[in-house]
Amino acid sequence: QVQLVESGGGLVQAGGSLRLSCAASGRTFSFYAMGWFRQAPGKEREFVAHINRIGYSTYYSDPVKGRFTISRDNAKSTLYLQMNSLKPEDTAAYYCAARVDNTGSVDMAGYHYWGQGTQVTVSS
């Protein structure tokens, strides 16, 4: 199995940027496709982006497309989410997740391991 720890969240003004990291330990990181999800207060957790095991295939939800970039460094066992042009509606707890498959999924149920989350707050 794999353990996931997110970091990099914080408070930022609208229009600003943040980079989230997700450090993996345990089983070889490249065994897993990875995803980012987020959950705002009072709302269900939603898909943000996913990336395949090698890192050449990515997919984004419409609200973040063109502003967020998912990437991974398998040598460092780390997943990233670069978030630019942040908006107040991006405020949420962000979670990384690992899936025992070659490709990612937009479905939460498709992921086997989750991190504890990191809070992102965007002020207007």
Side-chain angles (χ1 to χ4, degrees):
Q1 62 179 25
V2 64
Q3 293 77 44
L4 305 172
V5 179
E6 301 95 335
S7 62
L11 174 63
V12 63
Q13 289 188 333
S17 298
L18 281 175
R19 189 176 81 156
L20 305 184
S21 298
C22 171
S25 60
R27 196 178 180 192
T28 304
F29 183 58
S30 60
F31 283 1
Y32 303 94
M34 301 295 295
W36 285 101
F37 290 77
R38 67 185 182 184
Q39 187 168 16
K43 295 187 177 181
E44 293 186 352
R45 194 170 297 188
E46 65 175 9
F47 166 75
V48 174
H50 68 61
I51 189 167
N52 73 337
R53 288 171 55 190
I54 306 302
Y56 63 80
S57 177
T58 59
Y59 184 77
Y60 300 90
S61 66
D62 286 343
V64 309
K65 196 175 299 180
R67 299 188 297 122
F68 291 10
T69 302
I70 187 172
S71 63
R72 65 191 296 164
D73 185 336
N74 285 348
K76 295 182 177 179
S77 298
T78 303
L79 175 73
Y80 302 101
L81 185 68
Q82 178 67 43
M83 306 186 295
N84 298 329
S85 302
L86 282 161
K87 304 175 181 180
E89 51 264 44
D90 294 319
T91 294
Y94 283 73
Y95 300 86
C96 65
R99 166 178 164 87
V100 182
D101 205 324
N102 182 54
T103 58
S105 172
V106 302
D107 186 356
M108 283 178 49
Y111 290 84
H112 303 89
Y113 305 101
W114 290 84
Q116 84 291 346
T118 186
Q119 179 67 36
V120 172
T121 302
V122 184
S123 63
S124 57

